[in-house]
Amino acid sequence: MSEVNIQSVRSIKPINGDTVHKICSGQVVLSLAVAVKELVENSLDAGATNVEVRLKDYGKELIEVSDNGYGVAEDNFAALTLKYHTSKLCDYSDLLGVSSFGFRGEALSSLCALADLSITTRHKDSSYATKIVYDHKGNITSKTPCSRQVGTTVTLTNLFSTLPVRQKEFHKNYKREFTRMTSLLYAYCLISTGVKITCNNQTSSNVRTLVVATQGSSLYKDNIACVFGIKQMQSLLEIKTEYVANIKENILKGLSNTVQDREASETIDDVEIDLSEDSNDAASNEIPNSQETVCSQKSQGYINKPNPVELVGFISSCAHGSGRSTTDRQYFYVNSRPCEPTKVIKLINEVYKQYNPHQYPFVFLNIVIDRTSVDVNVTPDKRQVFLTQEKGVMNVVKASLLKLFENIPRTIKLESIEANVSSIEPELSQPRIFNSFLNKFSRKNNETAKSTSDNTDLKRKSSTLINYGVVKKSYKISKEELECNEENDTIIANEDSEPCEKSEENTKIINAETRGDSNDDITICETKLTKNKYDTDTIMYLEYSDKLPNTQIRNISDIVIESHQVVCKTKSSSEKPRKPNLAKIKTDKEELGKPINRKTVELKTSLEHVEALFKMNLKHNQEKARPDRIKFKSTINPVFNKKCEEELSREISKESFKKMEVIGQFNLGFIITRLEDDLFIIDQHATDEIYNFETLQKTTELTSQKLVVPQKLELTGVNEQILMDNVEVFRKNGFTFEIDKDALPTKRVKLLTIPMSKNWVFGKEDIEELLFMLRENYHEHCRPSRVRAMFASRACRKSVMIGTALGKSDMRKLVDHMSEIEQPWNCPHGRPTIRHLVNIAMVHTRED
Ligand code: ADP
Ligand code: MG
């Protein structure tokens, strides 16, 4: 920086007005999505019942939003694009009750600064329309009368042309930006009842595709069906506001029940309960129109309190398979304003997870709350909100979901568990020796249950009980055999007890039952839910000798858990420690005295010669310096896998594999190779497996099977477009479609064929997954995860097994293959393929 420049920087001066405008505008309109959102919001604020969004080349060329709202009066043309000029509030106090989407008066002025903007508008009281063109500062450059229906059209071209870096980013990622825009637009489509919103995109090849179209219905349901298809709508449950259980309310309920049970003459009115101070906890009031409430007139005042929160919306059922694989369809609103209430979002997903652990729900939720307890003026894009009663809102949301999911047939049948539990009960008292174990186990389970949620007690309890049941059932040791000291968690074997029957290996298998045997009603899903260390295939062994006597005190900590086995070690009293069977050792002594035929060679040497040799050797070793750089430092240990991989990928190029010298096979499972001074060990199975896997990934075209009836897919407009653009990728994966480009969004694609393979069933989820992958980052060899899993298992079967002796050429081939693999460091199941063993140079220097 020159002297003059520094000087000028040092004095504080206001930033030039235009620059400020540009800087700030970039913060209001961050992306294509926000630009479209702002224009749509303006149209909705203008009372439009028809909003049309038109893009050219994904918004790169043009963005246009037309509406049939009340239009802009001529007096306002100039103010329209001025910073902080709005017709929606005059005073700060207006902000508290603001019901329009816009209120900051920034959008149009920002868009002016970031793009070329023109507006055609006809006010409802005007007989003609005017086209106004603005410059980047928001000044009118031309005004021409024209014809148009009442309403406004805002046209943007060259978005971000004044911010070159951002424009470059936008043009580079235009498809992703477009997807984000549609996703945000969906939020407005869903919440805007009585408004017809359409969006279409015209690509450079002049093909026009309809992205989304709602029908202007007055029901949210219909909007959901328009955007996501009828099937999606049918899988949803309507959310009903459930207020948090109130102690007093419970008292009333309880009392009223007893009243009914006892005498009809006794009425609830006789019970004096003061309900006045109940309003403190705003969230815990009674449901507004729950007429069947058990409370009598005395509690009327309480019931009639205005409700602070009401939830309106829909959520996926928690039944297995009813959710989605990602959180891609979750729409939240506060007083119909699309926003991201982070904590509520997290809560809903957490609650849902407890019922359907492997999926995420579709959510459309409008939190209706007193406007004065919401601050919507948090960020320029108005996506964040502050709720003064957040905790109360969260409680209501939680209670509502729990209530909603309460009666959904889950993956577990409660009756059958209860039956199981009761049938198991008698055994509870039997082997007291295991009660302490069980307590420990169940305590662990309970802890996990508690940490997730208090309100899912029922579910969690039941799952605990299953574990309980199975475990309990498993111990078939009788009271006479074992006694338990109840005071602490120790087991004292009864000295007087009869010896247990002795099994051959001095080991008695106490439990070999799996859960599947004992609880047929539990589906896989629930199994996973209750999965813990002591899982289904937990087999418990108790090693003991005839008497179990001298064992004395055994703590739970003595139980060693090894993979799936719990082993209780007890010291054997009767069994003498077995002495190793020492084989006879041969010594040289036997050979002594025997005549041996040995060749004799005469060697001549002198001390000087030896000394010279020694010196030479020493010098040579000194010269052979340590390697200038230690390339591989990590030890072979699963803990350092990541580090090892980093080193390997840094030091070994694909070509290096070809240069490696094959030294030999080790232990019938590993190839030892050498590259310069470094020795490597290669897992023969893992490396062959990843090679075969990648080959399958690249070359396999799955055979497909024709469906008897083409299946409606009901994809969103955007997904349909992605699918249509990538038909080839889908075909490679065995999916082909019937495409009707002119049909309405969600109705354009029908599934014709699905991939066919023994034991593997593919379907709509795989298509959705593939769409997601294609959208996030396109890859020629995109495969749904289940196809990958199938390839992985095929590759495994094809590959060289551990235990196979390999010839040198076989080994050479395997090592050469590694140079062709994209990701050579791990097999598809994650096992490492290659590790550095040792640097030979280092070995030498150490010896010296
Ligand atoms: P805000 O929406 O926060 O008021 P904007 O910059 O988005 O700020 O819009 C400025 C003003 O322009 C609005 O207050 C509104 O009066 C007017 N306006 C913008 N778009 C439209 C439209 N589509 N129809 C009618 N009036 C509009
Ligand atoms: Mg606005």
Side-chain angles (χ1 to χ4, degrees):
M1 204 181 274
S2 73
E3 208 43 39
V4 186
N5 259 341
I6 290 172
Q7 278 309 315
S8 65
V9 167
R10 273 187 191 154
S11 57
I12 301 175
K13 284 180 190 163
I15 309 174
N16 153 322
D18 292 348
T19 318
V20 174
H21 192 29
K22 227 197 277 181
I23 294 174
C24 298
S25 300
Q27 292 180 331
V28 179
V29 179
L30 305 156
S31 58
L32 171 71
V34 178
V36 172
K37 166 191 103 93
E38 290 294 341
L39 298 182
V40 170
E41 282 187 347
N42 281 348
S43 296
L44 294 171
D45 284 344
T49 55
N50 199 343
V51 180
E52 201 186 323
V53 182
R54 201 162 69 86
L55 302 185
K56 271 193 188 165
D57 204 9
Y58 300 91
K60 282 188 285 179
E61 200 179 308
L62 170 130
I63 302 152
E64 189 175 272
V65 178
S66 308
D67 64 59
N68 63 349
Y70 44 64
V72 185
E74 183 135 19
D75 303 345
N76 287 331
F77 287 173
L80 209 53
T81 52
L82 295 182
K83 201 92 187 169
Y84 314 125
H85 281 57
T86 177
S87 58
K88 294 161 196 173
L89 43 98
C90 329
D91 207 316
Y92 179 74
S93 59
D94 295 345
L95 187 59
L96 276 178
V98 72
S99 61
S100 54
F101 289 114
F103 51 82
R104 294 169 60 100
E106 285 177 315
L108 289 184
S109 79
S110 302
L111 287 169
C112 265
L114 303 173
D116 300 333
L117 181 134
S118 68
I119 295 177
T120 309
T121 185
R122 179 176 155 194
H123 191 253
K124 58 181 181 1
D125 300 332
S126 175
S127 52
Y128 60 94
T130 313
K131 180 174 177 179
I132 319 144
V133 182
Y134 295 89
D135 66 9
H136 289 319
K137 291 175 197 163
N139 300 325
I140 298 172
T141 51
S142 76
K143 247 192 320 188
T144 16
C146 56
S147 80
R148 193 203 186 282
Q149 299 285 313
V150 172
T152 309
T153 302
V154 181
T155 311
L156 293 175
T157 48
N158 278 324
L159 181 62
F160 299 130
S161 58
T162 53
L163 302 175
V165 179
R166 201 172 308 178
Q167 188 177 41
K168 214 170 150 202
E169 272 304 294
F170 170 40
H171 286 190
K172 201 169 99 196
N173 303 315
Y174 69 95
K175 283 209 174 164
R176 191 178 299 169
E177 290 282 308
F178 180 77
T179 315
R180 297 222 173 106
M181 181 280 292
T182 51
S183 180
L184 190 53
L185 184 62
Y186 291 160
Y188 290 84
C189 291
L190 298 179
I191 196 71
S192 306
T193 46
V195 185
K196 202 166 170 268
I197 301 178
T198 51
C199 173
N200 57 58
N201 176 43
Q202 188 174 340
T203 53
S204 39
S205 50
N206 267 349
V207 190
R208 226 176 84 162
T209 42
L210 190 56
V211 176
V212 65
T214 59
Q215 304 301 319
S217 162
S218 58
L219 301 173
Y220 296 132
K221 265 183 177 184
D222 294 337
N223 287 348
I224 295 175
C226 282
V227 179
F228 298 114
I230 293 162
K231 249 190 241 156
Q232 173 71 80
M233 186 54 232
Q234 285 165 344
S235 74
L236 302 179
L237 303 172
E238 188 168 354
I239 298 171
K240 300 225 168 67
T241 326
E242 181 71 26
Y243 294 93
V244 185
N246 177 292
I247 300 170
K248 282 182 180 157
E249 179 198 323
N250 284 344
I251 296 171
L252 282 171
K253 271 189 188 166
L255 284 170
S256 72
N257 284 343
T258 17
V259 170
Q260 276 161 20
D261 287 345
R262 282 193 215 137
E263 273 170 23
S265 61
E266 224 178 305
T267 66
I268 189 89
D269 292 304
D270 302 329
V271 188
E272 281 287 340
I273 290 176
D274 175 29
L275 295 153
S276 53
E277 90 265 0
D278 242 312
S279 50
N280 275 348
D281 187 356
S284 50
N285 286 1
E286 184 51 80
I287 309 164
N289 34 12
S290 141
Q291 256 81 43
E292 71 276 18
T293 172
V294 287
C295 311
S296 70
Q297 294 92 321
K298 283 229 161 169
S299 54
Q300 279 297 314
Y302 171 50
I303 296 168
N304 288 343
K305 283 253 158 64
N307 282 302
V309 197
E310 205 196 328
L311 306 180
V312 182
F314 299 88
I315 187 166
S316 297
S317 161
C318 60
H320 178 68
S322 300
R324 300 185 54 75
S325 54
T326 62
T327 55
D328 61 344
R329 289 188 187 168
Q330 302 195 340
Y331 293 92
F332 298 89
Y333 309 82
V334 170
N335 293 330
S336 300
R337 177 189 299 280
C339 61
E340 292 158 29
T342 334
K343 284 191 188 162
V344 175
I345 298 175
K346 197 163 162 248
L347 172 78
I348 291 184
N349 283 297
E350 271 169 12
V351 171
Y352 189 81
K353 202 174 185 131
Q354 286 165 23
Y355 291 85
N356 189 358
H358 301 296
Q359 289 190 307
Y360 301 93
F362 169 104
V363 188
F364 167 80
L365 175 66
N366 186 12
I367 301 168
V368 184
I369 189 165
D370 181 20
R371 287 196 195 281
T372 52
S373 59
V374 189
D375 184 355
V376 289
N377 185 31
V378 182
T379 52
D381 68 358
K382 298 165 279 170
R383 296 282 296 161
Q384 298 298 323
V385 289
F386 280 155
L387 300 172
T388 51
Q389 301 172 15
E390 192 169 55
K391 213 167 161 224
V393 173
M394 304 264 285
N395 285 336
V396 175
V397 169
K398 192 168 174 184
S400 305
L401 291 190
L402 295 177
K403 176 84 182 167
L404 188 65
F405 294 150
E406 185 181 77
N407 297 318
I408 305 296
R410 271 172 263 153
T411 42
I412 182 160
K413 288 181 193 162
L414 280 172
E415 319 84 57
S416 59
I417 294 155
E418 268 152 27
N420 271 335
V421 169
S422 59
S423 70
I424 293 157
E425 214 60 61
E427 286 187 36
L428 244 175
S429 56
Q430 263 198 352
R432 278 192 293 161
I433 181 173
F434 288 110
N435 279 353
S436 55
F437 290 6
L438 294 171
N439 282 337
K440 286 253 174 180
F441 291 173
S442 59
R443 219 174 288 154
K444 280 202 173 175
N445 285 335
N446 283 336
E447 271 160 25
T448 34
K450 253 180 226 154
S451 68
T452 27
S453 163
D454 301 323
N455 291 311
T456 45
D457 265 4
L458 179 62
K459 183 182 175 62
R460 288 295 165 151
K461 255 183 219 152
S462 47
S463 47
T464 315
L465 282 169
I466 294 167
N467 276 357
Y468 235 150
V470 178
V471 179
K472 278 168 204 163
K473 248 190 155 175
S474 324
Y475 303 106
K476 299 250 166 77
I477 270 186
S478 69
K479 203 177 183 176
E480 302 90 63
E481 289 170 330
L482 301 158
E483 277 265 320
C484 162
N485 183 344
E486 282 168 322
E487 276 159 37
N488 45 30
D489 280 331
T490 59
I491 301 160
I492 293 183
N494 192 341
E495 293 258 300
D496 307 326
S497 64
E498 289 294 307
C500 303
E501 28 174 323
K502 201 174 172 183
S503 78
E504 281 156 287
E505 292 137 342
N506 242 1
T507 307
K508 187 175 180 185
I509 299 174
I510 291 164
N511 167 31
E513 262 176 276
T514 58
R515 185 187 294 172
D517 297 332
S518 47
N519 285 290
D520 292 339
D521 291 312
I522 299 149
T523 67
I524 304 159
C525 182
E526 182 61 25
T527 313
K528 292 226 170 115
L529 213 156
T530 64
K531 198 170 167 178
N532 56 32
K533 256 188 177 170
Y534 320 98
D535 212 333
T536 42
D537 40 3
T538 305
I539 299 175
M540 296 221 172
Y541 296 96
L542 185 69
E543 289 175 13
Y544 65 96
S545 69
D546 315 29
K547 277 193 171 178
L548 284 165
N550 306 336
T551 329
Q552 275 106 21
I553 297 161
R554 290 264 138 232
N555 272 313
I556 193 85
S557 56
D558 290 349
I559 295 176
V560 180
I561 299 157
E562 281 170 6
S563 61
H564 290 280
Q565 300 186 339
V566 177
V567 181
C568 180
K569 287 181 184 164
T570 54
K571 211 164 77 192
S572 157
S573 68
S574 62
E575 196 190 358
K576 308 261 163 359
R578 238 185 263 150
K579 276 183 190 156
N581 241 343
L582 294 176
K584 215 180 161 197
I585 299 165
K586 281 188 179 179
T587 61
D588 274 352
K589 269 186 189 165
E590 292 169 27
E591 305 284 317
L592 276 180
K594 283 184 187 168
I596 313 160
N597 275 339
R598 280 187 181 142
K599 269 187 188 168
T600 42
V601 179
E602 233 173 76
L603 267 174
K604 274 187 186 165
T605 187
S606 65
L607 260 181
E608 291 75 44
H609 182 66
V610 171
E611 198 185 332
L613 269 179
F614 177 76
K615 278 183 182 163
M616 236 169 74
N617 205 9
L618 197 72
K619 208 175 161 200
H620 172 78
N621 270 347
Q622 273 166 356
E623 268 167 15
K624 203 175 132 199
R626 288 164 169 269
D628 43 343
R629 185 171 64 91
I630 301 164
K631 294 180 188 164
F632 301 94
K633 287 183 195 150
S634 302
T635 39
I636 305 180
N637 181 335
V639 180
F640 302 121
N641 268 351
K642 215 173 148 228
K643 252 186 119 196
C644 284
E645 251 175 62
E646 279 168 15
E647 280 176 359
L648 287 163
S649 47
R650 192 178 58 224
E651 302 294 342
I652 299 187
S653 70
K654 294 209 166 147
E655 285 311 300
S656 312
F657 290 110
K658 291 208 169 129
K659 287 186 206 141
M660 274 182 190
E661 177 198 346
V662 173
I663 302 211
Q665 195 185 18
F666 166 68
N667 221 14
L668 293 182
F670 302 91
I671 304 166
I672 309 293
T673 62
R674 176 177 181 165
L675 184 69
E676 289 158 15
D677 275 342
D678 289 304
L679 286 191
F680 296 92
I681 181 164
I682 297 174
D683 181 325
Q684 64 190 43
H685 178 71
T687 189
D688 198 23
E689 196 176 0
I690 185 68
Y691 175 75
N692 288 328
F693 174 75
E694 284 200 358
T695 317
L696 284 172
Q697 281 271 96
K698 275 183 220 158
T699 57
T700 313
E701 285 191 11
L702 292 181
T703 44
S704 49
Q705 184 180 34
K706 211 163 174 182
L707 296 174
V708 182
V709 185
Q711 194 189 343
K712 281 188 207 150
L713 280 182
E714 305 209 332
L715 303 172
T716 61
V718 181
N719 277 347
E720 284 178 338
Q721 192 57 49
I722 297 173
L723 186 142
M724 290 188 259
D725 293 343
N726 294 290
V727 181
E728 193 47 30
V729 176
F730 282 93
R731 195 188 55 76
K732 274 195 182 163
N733 284 299
F735 293 105
T736 56
F737 308 95
E738 181 185 293
I739 291 170
D740 175 6
K741 283 196 170 132
D742 301 323
L744 283 173
T746 79
K747 298 198 171 84
R748 285 183 286 208
V749 181
K750 281 185 190 158
L751 182 61
L752 285 185
T753 68
I754 51 166
M756 190 185 63
S757 184
K758 249 198 299 173
N759 304 330
W760 293 85
V761 185
F762 297 97
K764 210 186 149 189
E765 315 80 67
D766 303 294
I767 298 176
E768 295 249 1
E769 193 192 0
L770 211 47
L771 284 169
F772 180 78
M773 290 160 97
L774 286 166
R775 198 167 63 204
E776 288 305 304
N777 65 44
Y778 172 82
H779 192 272
E780 193 191 346
H781 305 301
C782 238
R783 302 280 189 187
S785 52
R786 284 200 291 163
V787 172
R788 285 174 65 90
M790 184 178 80
F791 286 167
S793 96
R794 274 193 204 170
C796 178
R797 271 177 277 135
K798 266 178 83 167
S799 308
V800 187
M801 288 298 154
I802 299 284
T804 316
L806 297 177
K808 230 176 183 163
S809 63
D810 298 329
M811 291 192 266
R812 180 77 259 164
K813 203 167 80 188
L814 288 179
V815 177
D816 284 348
H817 277 166
M818 290 188 86
S819 68
E820 296 165 35
I821 307 172
E822 260 177 59
Q823 300 290 333
W825 316 118
N826 287 301
C827 86
H829 303 103
R831 259 199 339 273
T833 49
I834 177 169
R835 282 293 175 265
H836 178 256
L837 264 187
V838 72
N839 183 298
I840 299 168
M842 297 284 284
V843 176
H844 275 267
T845 34
R846 232 185 250 166
E847 275 176 359
D848 309 330

